Amino acid sequence: IIELRNDLSLIIACVQDEENEHFLISGSGDGSIKLWDIRAANQPPIRSFEEHNHEVYAVDWNLQVRNNI
């Protein structure tokens, strides 16, 4: 179990990368999607996407095009 530093809102959805166990993405109640490196869980996310106006209930990796969320 790890604790991610998500200052703005509750993490609703989270999924780990199947090819790189160090990366995961999360979807939050504030509408953000964040990319995390769990080796640095006490650090801010690597990248944050603020594209949604409502909660993000599901996230997943694009298995057809690598490096796409």
Side-chain angles (χ1 to χ4, degrees):
I1 297 176
I2 63 168
E3 182 177 339
L4 300 173
R5 193 173 138 205
N6 189 27
D7 298 331
L8 299 177
S9 186
L10 175 70
I11 292 176
I12 298 172
C14 188
V15 65
Q16 190 172 19
D17 187 346
E18 293 179 5
E19 292 187 7
N20 185 337
E21 69 274 3
H22 300 296
F23 294 116
L24 56 88
I25 52 174
S26 66
S28 299
D30 64 359
S32 66
I33 296 172
K34 296 181 180 176
L35 173 63
W36 303 88
D37 183 341
I38 61 173
R39 296 170 293 187
N42 60 344
Q43 299 296 315
I46 296 171
R47 181 126 189 231
S48 183
F49 304 91
E50 313 289 336
E51 306 298 324
H52 297 277
N53 295 322
H54 299 286
E55 297 87 355
V56 176
Y57 290 107
V59 291
D60 207 349
W61 294 92
N62 184 332
L63 300 178
Q64 301 300 314
V65 181
R66 291 305 307 157
N67 301 321
N68 264 348
I69 298 175

